Amino acid sequence: DILIVTDSEGILGIGDQGVGGIQICLGKKSLYTAAGGLDPDRMMSIVLDVGTDNLRLLNDELYLGVRHARVRGERYDQFIDAFVRTAHSVFPHAMIHWEDFGAGNAHRLLNHYRDDFCSFNDDIQGTAAVVAGAVLSGVKAKHERLRDQRFVIHGGGTAGVGGADLLVRLLVQDGMDETDARALFWITSSRGLITDDATQAFRDFQRPYAHGLGELADWDLDQVGHYDLADIVRNVHPTVLIGTSGSGSSFTHEIVTDMAAHTDRP
C-alpha cells in the first residue's frame, strides 16, 4: 500500500546519512501503524543508495553503502525514474512516500511524478498539513480571517515553502488572487530574506515568494543590505511566526517581544 523511500540526503537536523537513512523510513513505517492503524506487512521501507557526500561515512570501514560521492544530474534522474516505474509495475496501487530528499530534489521530484503516480512528500506535504492546521486553529481562536494575517517563515527549505504553498492554496480557495496571497509571506533562507536580488542564489521553489528590493527601501535595518529575522519581524509586524529552520535558538526573547508588541494575539 505504501512505499516509504529516501535517498538520505536531507535527514532533518543531521543531513546526509547515506544508507543509514533507512532508519527514518522504518520509523515512519512504525508511525503509519501506531497512529494510522496500517498493516506493517503492507508497507515497505526503501533506501536508494546513490552514494554519500558524508566523509565520515566514506572513511568508516563498517559503512554498508557504496563508497563514492553522491551521483547527481542526469544519472541520478534516470536512477530515480527506473525505481519509480519499476515500483509502480510491481505495486501498481501503492503510494510512494518520499522522505528526506535534499532541498534540490524534493519539490522537483514531487512535481515531476505527482500527476502520474500516487505521490506524497512528508517533508513538504506532511509538515504543511500540521502547520496549516495550527494556523487555521489560531485564526479561528482570534475570530479573524486567514487573509488578515502576515506570515513570517524562518527556514525556506522544503518544509517551510511546503507550508507556505498549502496556506496560499487555502487563501486562493477563499477567493484571494494567488499573487496577492504570496505577498503575505516573508520567508528566510540561509542567506536571509528571499528577495529578487539577482546576486543571491535562491532555489526555484523559493522564487515565487521573493520580495522586490524596492519594497524594502524604507526598512529599519540592523545592518544595511542584510534582511535577517529580527529585521523582518521589526518591519513586517507579523501575526504568524513559523519556524522550519534547522538552526536552534532563532526565536529570541527580543524577536518574540517585538512580534507581540504589534499584534494582540500572535
Side-chain angles (χ1 to χ4, degrees), residues 75-117:
R75 287 180 62 209
Y76 175 88
D77 289 345
Q78 290 173 347
F79 181 61
I80 297 294
D81 198 64
F83 162 73
V84 170
R85 297 185 184 281
T86 302
H88 181 69
S89 69
V90 178
F91 304 106
H93 303 295
M95 179 184 81
I96 298 177
H97 167 133
W98 305 91
E99 179 69 33
D100 282 337
F101 281 73
N105 289 317
H107 278 84
R108 186 175 66 86
L109 292 176
L110 177 64
N111 292 333
H112 182 74
Y113 289 110
R114 67 192 308 171
D115 293 333
D116 298 312
F117 305 96

Side-chain angles (χ1 to χ4, degrees), residues 121-256:
N121 185 297
D122 193 31
D123 308 286
I124 298 171
Q125 297 165 294
T127 304
V130 176
V131 167
V135 169
L136 291 174
S137 295
V139 170
K140 182 178 180 181
K142 294 168 66 170
H143 303 291
E144 294 178 0
R145 299 180 68 181
L146 194 61
R147 63 172 60 201
D148 298 325
Q149 312 309 310
R150 294 179 301 281
F151 303 86
V152 169
I153 299 179
H154 182 53
T158 54
V161 175
D165 286 345
L166 179 54
L167 288 166
V168 166
R169 288 207 298 275
L170 293 172
L171 286 162
V172 171
Q173 288 176 10
D174 192 38
M176 259 192 111
D177 175 77
E178 184 172 340
T179 301
D180 292 338
R182 291 187 189 279
L184 297 177
F185 291 81
W186 305 78
I187 304 178
T188 71
S189 74
S190 59
R191 304 172 184 84
L193 179 67
I194 296 173
T195 69
D196 62 358
D197 185 350
T199 66
Q200 300 289 345
F202 295 114
R203 298 186 183 277
D204 289 342
F205 67 86
Q206 297 171 326
R207 293 190 184 282
Y209 295 95
H211 284 266
L213 291 176
E215 298 178 55
L216 318 178
D218 298 328
W219 273 29
D220 176 18
L221 301 174
D222 289 335
Q223 184 178 350
V224 176
H226 290 262
Y227 306 96
D228 296 322
L229 180 60
D231 301 305
I232 299 168
V233 172
R234 183 186 310 121
N235 290 278
V236 172
H237 298 167
T239 62
V240 180
L241 184 58
I242 298 170
T244 46
S245 167
S247 59
S249 305
S250 297
F251 294 168
T252 63
H253 181 271
E254 290 76 17
I255 285 174
V256 173

